[in-house]
Amino acid sequence: MPQTNSAPVSHPDLAHLREGFAGGVIDTADPSYEEARAVFNAMIEERPRVIAQCETVGDVVRALGFARENDLEIAVRGGGHSVAGMGLTDGGLVVDLRRMNAVSVDPEAMTARVAGGATMSHLDRAGEPFGLATTGGRVSTTGVGGFVLGGGSGWLDRKFGLACDNLLSAELVTADGALVRASADEHPELFWALHGGGGNFGVATSLTLRLHHLPSVTAALLLWQADAGPEVVSAFRSFMEQAPDEVGGGVLYLTAPPEEFVPERLVGSLTCAVLVTYAGGELAAREAMRPMLELGHAGELIVEVPYAELQCMLDDPPGLRNYWSAEFLSEFPDTAVELFCAHAGRMIVPSASQHVLFPQGGAVSRPDTDYPVPWRRALWCVHPFGLWENPADDERAQRWARDLRADMLPWSIGAVYLNFIGDEGDERIVAGLGADNYRRLAAVKRHYDPDNVFHRNHNITPSRPG
């Protein structure tokens, strides 16, 4: 495994890397270095020695070869949303894919070919003129590659399945510089592993995804005072148990923003909110949402928009400190409701933090595959999503997330969507993927990355031969 090397990379070596490199090569002396290394989580302080801003597959091959020749640890960056900062490496080389962001839509085949550095915004905007979309992350700035390879949960998953369910093929550059295409017919075991195994097996330079007809979506954001939370959460639980697949969303506690639709008495205070999304127009959406609309909320915003617009409306602010975690639950009884609501007051207010309960079910729970995403069988996900400014709040934010997880353990299935968590240890990764899946993934890892070059991720250790 390449180790972090403290000696500076010599100028002749970087000159050799830059020779024939279509993109840019940035080192610590470059004026754009700080901007180039910035990621979504402001807590991350890793300082790579080299950032290879790749524009072509050939650039990726060259960057990997250079890193291995110089014994540099490798990190792969797409959207830069990893809460643990896995898209950076301290003293190593970053394969930065952000310049590789093209998306090509085939409206007849209803597919999209997505370059490895594209964000959800690139994909959503490319599909919008054709009224086509697929399950994406819950914001527009998420990188498509890491999102899909990790499984991919979003507002549309109850209707269209997880993002990885819509993965038709992928092209990867492996640790030895080979370009491999994985699909149901080509490298099928690798293709299976890419449905939840993350970036363990190579650098994904292209993904082909299935698209679905979706001219518009409707979203309703409904607000209540925080003390109404237990009643609201219970009502949302009952609502989602009967909701059609078109309905998604979540119930969350947040700091109410100073927006026109927010009552003045709620602005800046802890507020219970329900977001209901609907894969379709407002008329049908209002009928489907009726139980929540009749609950007596204090503020509301209801809009019908293209899917890409919905995604942009929900973007989290960059430059904040982050800590997230999650537990996936088999049920959410009254005791869990009480504990969930009680913990909301311990989050940081005012801040951009969110105390979230997501429903699953629908197409998420009806797979005809054995992909390594066992968390899909859970009915609920509790997701403490911490974003704050002051480093003095670090310990409080992390304790809030951990304590909420601990209180949800009686109903946890153990498996977890790894994109929702940071570095919580190897045991959490094994449990998250499922022990049997992990053993199978470790065998795939041994075949495609026996030296564990790609270990800056939720790492799967290559199994030993035999």
Side-chain angles (χ1 to χ4, degrees):
M1 177 190 307
Q3 301 296 316
T4 300
N5 186 342
S6 60
V9 176
S10 69
H11 289 294
D13 280 339
L14 284 182
H16 175 67
L17 175 60
R18 289 184 173 113
E19 187 178 327
F21 200 88
V25 176
I26 293 176
D27 62 13
T28 55
D30 194 292
S32 63
Y33 174 80
E34 292 299 332
E35 180 181 0
R37 82 170 186 91
V39 291
F40 185 71
N41 186 357
M43 293 179 72
I44 304 303
E45 299 180 352
E46 275 76 3
R47 301 183 64 82
R49 197 171 310 160
V50 184
I51 302 174
Q53 297 179 322
C54 302
E55 287 190 2
T56 67
V57 173
D59 284 353
V60 175
V61 174
R62 285 184 62 84
L64 291 176
F66 177 85
R68 299 201 72 182
E69 290 166 8
N70 288 276
D71 197 28
L72 296 174
E73 183 179 56
I74 293 168
V76 181
R77 174 176 180 155
H81 266 247
S82 163
V83 68
M86 294 173 181
L88 291 180
T89 166
D90 206 18
L93 180 143
V94 173
V95 178
D96 187 339
L97 301 176
R98 283 177 290 176
R99 295 192 185 187
M100 299 173 65
N101 57 31
V103 178
S104 176
V105 171
D106 183 338
E108 297 297 324
M110 296 180 62
T111 61
R113 180 180 171 88
V114 185
T119 64
M120 287 311 311
S121 180
H122 294 120
L123 173 56
D124 298 339
R125 294 296 184 189
E128 185 176 356
F130 308 103
L132 298 174
T134 195
T135 300
R138 292 178 171 88
V139 295
S140 71
T141 53
T142 301
V144 176
F147 172 73
V148 172
L149 300 183
S153 169
W155 304 126
L156 302 179
D157 57 15
R158 283 173 45 87
K159 177 64 175 176
F160 301 133
L162 299 176
C164 70
D165 294 336
N166 294 283
L167 177 64
L168 300 175
S169 66
E171 294 182 357
L172 286 82
V173 178
T174 59
D176 60 2
L179 182 62
V180 174
R181 186 177 190 275
S183 68
D185 301 319
E186 305 165 276
H187 298 269
E189 192 69 359
L190 173 61
F191 187 60
W192 171 85
L194 297 177
H195 292 73
N200 273 281
F201 313 101
V203 181
T205 55
S206 175
L207 305 176
T208 300
L209 301 172
R210 181 186 300 110
L211 301 179
H212 307 267
H213 286 297
L214 190 69
S216 66
V217 295
T218 302
L221 182 61
L222 312 175
L223 305 177
W224 287 263
Q225 291 185 172
D227 58 8
E231 177 188 358
V232 173
V233 174
S234 295
F236 182 76
R237 178 188 60 189
S238 299
F239 166 66
M240 288 307 307
E241 287 172 351
Q242 304 297 324
D245 291 357
E246 287 80 6
V247 172
V251 60
L252 59 156
Y253 286 87
L254 47 70
T255 302
E259 300 288 349
E260 185 176 340
F261 69 94
V262 179
E264 186 175 350
R265 69 181 186 276
L266 296 183
V267 173
S269 65
L270 184 67
T271 303
C272 183
V274 169
L275 176 66
V276 183
T277 60
Y278 185 86
E282 184 175 342
L283 186 62
R286 283 184 176 271
E287 180 60 29
M289 297 173 182
R290 182 181 296 180
M292 296 309 302
L293 295 177
E294 293 178 346
L295 201 57
H297 49 276
E300 74 169 38
L301 174 67
I302 301 179
V303 293
E304 179 183 347
V305 292
Y307 177 60
E309 292 299 323
L310 172 66
Q311 294 290 76
C312 293
M313 290 168 58
L314 300 170
D315 284 351
D316 300 305
L320 298 178
R321 305 175 77 79
N322 282 242
Y323 187 83
W324 327 328
S325 193
E327 285 295 334
F328 283 72
L329 313 178
S330 59
E331 58 178 330
F332 198 65
D334 290 345
T335 303
V337 171
E338 294 169 4
L339 290 168
F340 176 79
C341 295
H343 274 283
R346 304 176 194 176
M347 66 185 287
I348 302 166
V349 178
S351 79
S353 296
Q354 299 170 10
H355 186 84
V356 189
L357 174 71
F358 287 128
Q360 293 209 128
V364 175
S365 302
R366 295 194 300 268
D368 56 0
T369 68
D370 65 343
Y371 296 146
V373 283
W375 45 271
R376 73 188 308 154
R377 73 179 186 269
L379 295 179
W380 299 96
C381 169
V382 168
H383 182 34
F385 186 83
L387 303 100
W388 67 97
E389 294 185 72
N390 191 343
D393 286 324
D394 288 0
E395 195 278 333
R396 183 159 66 101
Q398 293 178 39
R399 185 175 65 249
W400 152 65
R402 290 168 180 157
D403 287 352
L404 178 59
R405 265 196 62 211
D407 274 354
M408 295 296 113
L409 287 179
W411 307 281
S412 174
I413 67 169
V416 64
Y417 177 34
L418 296 178
N419 285 358
F420 270 3
I421 71 172
D423 184 0
E424 298 183 4
D426 292 343
E427 291 184 3
R428 180 81 152 139
I429 296 171
V430 175
L433 293 167
D436 290 342
N437 287 330
Y438 187 89
R439 283 189 286 271
R440 186 174 169 186
L441 289 163
V444 179
K445 178 82 168 186
R446 182 183 73 235
H447 184 81
Y448 291 95
D449 183 19
D451 297 324
N452 205 14
V453 169
F454 300 111
H455 60 269
R456 291 287 298 158
N457 44 44
H458 290 294
N459 192 234
I460 296 166
T461 305
S463 61
R464 296 177 181 177

